[in-house]
């Protein structure tokens, strides 16, 4: 019974129920090949949601992840047009490094100037978007301007799954190890759970939040290259509004906005839930613009559910206190 009370189990069951419902009208949607495609389509959202999860665990939020993705992706595309022979490994390293640097800017502003993270990332989101226009002059970079190796890498199939999907799996495994097996991972939870107590245990709250933003930025930078290469186009409004989906995936997955509570599995399942909806809407003949409304509604429902669960826990603690008296 305890298993089915967990957010992850309920969310997994909801995804299965959604797939069964879709399969009753569109059996081809649940074909293994199509489901692998859905997973690959959702991979960018999963990677970004994992980075956002780490930030939220520390009682912060990063609204600049999509803008970071867009700026890094544009720089990678421009670099490829200038040096088409540049090895993909080098492009990947540069994308991660640039994303991490942009994330570190957020972290430093939150750490050293004590500015609320929502204010900082709203500002940097605008700066990053404006920088894309300044760099590109508002012009698009299309598929014919990119090298085949640049656009082909995320699409390479390994055991039926594109490299994009395998990278998401590697990121999931790495984050799971980081959060469960390292002192830094435990510090993320401690800072979000009780920052005052964390200080007494020797944890530097500001530095931990800085590391969270840097990690989130690095994953956004990685996703920037993968996004541009997979869709073979770079423009000023890449992934516009995608930060809403990222936050929605985290909240739906049970990551508490108050910090200190969350899991890798929850973030991944939250992203998959939105990914299934996103891919099912066109099949069902529903306008994809409804996805934004669904994401917003899902955030409200999930936050309400989290708040109610927290209140119940509080009442239980009070009852135990009354019994002891």
């Amino acid at each position: 019974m305890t298993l089915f009370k967990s957010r992850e189990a309920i969310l997994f069951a909801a995804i299965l129920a959604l797939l069964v419902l879709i399969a009753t009208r569109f059996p081809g949607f649940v074909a293994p090949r199509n489901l692998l495609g859905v997973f690959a389509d959702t991979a960018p959202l999963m990677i970004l949601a994992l980075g956002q999860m780490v930030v939220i665990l520390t009682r912060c939020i990063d609204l600049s992840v999509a803008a970071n993705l867009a700026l890094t992706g544009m720089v990678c595309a421009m670099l490829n047009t200038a040096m088409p022979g540049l090895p993909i490994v080098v492009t990947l390293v540069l994308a991660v490094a640039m994303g991490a640097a942009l994330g570190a800017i957020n972290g430093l502003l939150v750490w050293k100037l004590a500015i609320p993270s929502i204010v900082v990332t709203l500002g940097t989101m605008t700066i990053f978007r404006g920088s894309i226009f300044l760099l590109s002059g508002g012009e698009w970079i299309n598929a014919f301007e990119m090298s085949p190796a640049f656009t082909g890498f995320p699409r390479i199939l390994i055991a039926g799954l594109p490299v994009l999907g395998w990278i998401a799996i590697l990121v999931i495994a790495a984050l799971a190890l980081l959060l469960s097996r390292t002192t830094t991972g435990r510090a993320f939870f401690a800072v979000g759970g009780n920052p005052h107590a964390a200080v007494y245990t020797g944890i530097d709250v500001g530095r931990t939040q800085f590391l969270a933003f840097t990690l989130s930025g690095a994953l956004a930078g990685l996703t920037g290259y993968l996004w541009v290469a997979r869709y073979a186009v770079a423009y000023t409004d890449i992934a516009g509004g995608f930060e809403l989906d990222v936050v929605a995936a985290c909240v739906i997955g049970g990551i508490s906005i108050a910090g200190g509570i969350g899991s890798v599995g929850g973030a991944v399942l939250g992203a998959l839930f939105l990914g299934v909806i996103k891919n099912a809407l066109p099949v069902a003949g529903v306008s994809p613009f409804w996805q934004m409304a669904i994401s917003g509604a899902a955030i409200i429902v999930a936050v309400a559910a989290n708040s109610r669960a927290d209140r119940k826990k509080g009442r239980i603690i009070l009852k135990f206190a009354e019994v002891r008296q």
Side-chain angles (χ1 to χ4, degrees):
M1 291 298 292
T2 304
L3 174 65
F4 290 97
K5 288 181 180 179
S6 71
R7 174 62 67 90
E8 290 84 355
I10 294 171
L11 195 50
F12 182 73
I15 293 172
L16 288 180
L18 185 59
L19 289 174
V20 170
L21 180 63
I22 296 168
T24 57
R25 294 192 59 188
F26 309 100
F29 188 86
V30 296
R33 184 176 179 180
N34 188 69
L35 289 179
L36 287 175
V38 171
F39 183 86
D41 284 341
T42 312
L45 178 58
M46 284 189 284
I47 296 171
L48 288 180
L50 288 169
Q52 185 74 259
M53 175 198 68
V54 175
V55 174
I56 293 176
L57 284 176
T58 65
R59 291 196 178 187
C60 293
I61 193 165
D62 187 356
L63 298 179
S64 68
V65 287
N68 185 330
L69 176 162
L71 178 55
T72 307
M74 176 60 79
V75 170
C76 287
M78 294 177 70
L79 191 63
N80 179 250
T81 58
M83 294 183 288
L86 192 68
I88 298 302
V89 173
V90 176
T91 302
L92 283 168
V93 171
L94 290 174
V96 172
M98 180 177 175
L102 296 177
I105 292 172
N106 290 330
L108 282 171
L109 292 172
V110 171
W111 178 16
K112 297 299 184 181
L113 300 183
I115 305 173
S117 60
I118 191 170
V119 176
V120 168
T121 55
L122 274 173
T124 54
M125 175 179 70
T126 307
I127 293 170
F128 297 163
R129 288 286 180 189
S131 299
I132 300 171
F133 187 86
L134 292 174
L135 284 172
S136 65
E139 296 182 0
W140 290 35
I141 299 178
N142 297 303
F144 67 87
E145 299 175 85
M146 302 177 187
S147 69
F150 182 87
T151 57
F153 177 73
R155 298 188 178 97
I156 297 173
L157 291 177
I158 300 176
L161 182 66
V163 165
L164 176 60
W166 287 111
I167 290 176
I169 291 172
L170 289 175
V171 172
I172 292 168
L175 260 292
L177 287 173
L178 173 67
L179 294 179
S180 63
R181 303 289 182 179
T182 68
T183 54
T184 301
R186 289 189 286 272
F188 292 142
F189 286 99
V191 166
N194 192 327
H196 300 294
V199 171
Y200 287 113
T201 61
I203 297 173
D204 189 326
V205 173
R207 181 176 177 276
T208 303
Q209 291 173 335
F210 167 78
L211 292 175
F213 276 106
T214 304
L215 176 58
S216 176
L219 293 179
L222 171 65
T223 310
Y225 160 69
L226 296 173
W227 184 293
V228 168
R230 185 167 194 265
Y231 295 107
V233 64
Y235 54 98
T236 56
D237 199 32
I238 300 171
F242 200 59
E243 56 276 345
L244 173 63
D245 288 345
V246 175
V247 174
C250 290
V251 176
I252 292 169
I255 289 86
S256 173
I257 293 296
I261 299 173
S263 68
V264 170
V268 171
L269 288 171
L272 283 173
F273 180 80
L274 292 177
V276 170
I277 291 174
K278 178 182 177 181
N279 283 271
L281 288 180
V283 175
V286 179
S287 170
F289 291 105
W290 277 101
Q291 186 200 353
M292 295 292 286
I294 293 171
S295 298
I299 290 176
I300 295 172
V301 172
V303 169
N306 290 343
S307 299
R308 187 172 181 180
D310 291 341
R311 285 199 299 271
K312 284 183 178 180
K313 290 177 183 177
R315 283 197 290 269
I316 291 171
I317 292 170
L318 288 173
K319 286 179 180 178
F320 283 138
E322 290 173 0
V323 170
R324 288 175 182 175
Q325 289 176 356

